[in-house]
Amino acid sequence: MKPTNKKKSLITSLAIILASLSLTYIPLPEISKNIVVVSGTELQEILPELETKFEQKYPQINLELKYQGSQDIINKYVDDQNDFTPTVLIPANREILEELETRWKAQNNSEPFYDKPQPIAKTILVAIAWPERGQILFPNNQFSWRKISQAMETGNWEKIGGKPQWGSFDFLTTNPTRSNSGQLTLSLWAKSEIGRATLTSQSLNNSSVKSLFSLVKRSVYLPPRSTDILLQEFIAKGENDADIATVYESIALHRWEQSRTTQGQPYQIYYLNPTIETVSTAAIARRDISSGMVDAARKFIDFLRQPEQQKLFVQYGFRPVDQSFDLQSVPNSPWSQNIPGVKMNPGVQTISTPNAEVLTEIKRLWERAN
């Protein structure tokens, strides 16, 4: 080989080596990632604010927020009925995810999630009522399922001590085939009816529970598909069209000011005893999710569990997942606004959400009730 050619060959080799080294050691811009977060409607108010904060911290990650009733989240994911690909699922509680896991494994013989699902925020089921109605039903401010049943059976306020102009008794709860709060409402009501410490699918199958479900189904006209929709309807309708409802404490606290503005008076909150604690829980879905999207999803879930974000959850009426967290230390929280009936420590028995088998039986009994 001529000396000139050798020199050219050496220069070319050095150029290739330098190019390789630059690719290895010079950082390249991160590729933008898009993740779809499907949440229960109980988080619909807070997630957009969290989205803004998260995308400021991680500008290479774009969040796309979707909202569905918690049961719809599971049904649509398992049956592949969404027109988008969910990355993170956040239904109202862990038990809903357990139902998804059971159904997924039965159909696919594989794991549905990356990682162990993580708790994000807590709340409990409460009742709300317009003040005059609440005073008639609960004169000692103690919620009673039996009083609700009696009001439904009579169907008229005048017959239970109310004013004639109040008309019919109107109770609201969500559709238990689509929403978790409706399922929890029926489980607590059934528990009160049969006096059982723990519900099972067998204990639900008796004549008193079946009669109760029929009574409620006849009385609740077109139950909404989600808790947030229910509360918006409750506030918009006001007295005479919506008297009492069961909702999550978090959303009841957050929308309380809206009820005062819209109706000229706020509703009052009543604590159920026992009540059920729900823990919004996040899981990373496996179907059609790349490793890069998994990494972005992990960052998002970790972000939600950090103290600064937990403070924001408290300001929106949620209770933090960290037991040592002091509610009183959070400025501008609903617990400092003198909301009628609200208690930082309500002093009621808090029980876990019924297992997936019981929730499935509740849905089945509701569908068969007439």
Side-chain angles (χ1 to χ4, degrees), residues 171-219:
F171 175 81
L172 273 66
T173 189
T174 57
N175 187 333
T177 65
R178 304 188 68 180
S179 169
N180 187 242
S181 66
Q183 295 170 7
L184 302 187
T185 295
L186 291 179
S187 71
L188 287 173
W189 211 332
K191 188 175 183 295
S192 173
E193 182 71 22
I194 61 179
R196 292 292 186 94
T198 303
L199 286 181
T200 65
S201 56
Q202 291 75 27
S203 65
L204 283 169
N205 278 280
N206 65 52
S207 57
S208 61
V209 171
K210 291 177 181 177
S211 296
L212 170 65
F213 279 31
S214 293
L215 172 65
V216 178
K217 193 169 186 178
R218 291 194 305 270
S219 304

Side-chain angles (χ1 to χ4, degrees), residues 21 44 46 54-55 72 79 94 121-122 148 161 167 181 303 322 330 368:
L21 288 171
Q44 191 163 353
I46 187 175
F54 179 78
E55 290 179 349
D72 278 349
D79 299 333
R94 165 70 191 180
K122 300 190 298 186
I148 300 291
S181 66
F303 172 82
D322 182 355
V330 180
R368 294 189 176 187

Side-chain angles (χ1 to χ4, degrees), residues 128-131 231 234-236 238 252-268 334 336-340:
I128 56 173
W130 301 110
L231 191 50
F234 185 88
I235 293 171
L253 296 183
H254 181 65
R255 287 199 179 276
W256 177 79
E257 182 63 36
Q258 182 183 341
S259 74
R260 183 167 64 177
T261 303
T262 303
Q263 295 297 336
Q265 63 171 340
Y267 49 68
Q268 177 163 342
S336 62
Q337 296 176 16
N338 298 316
I339 296 175

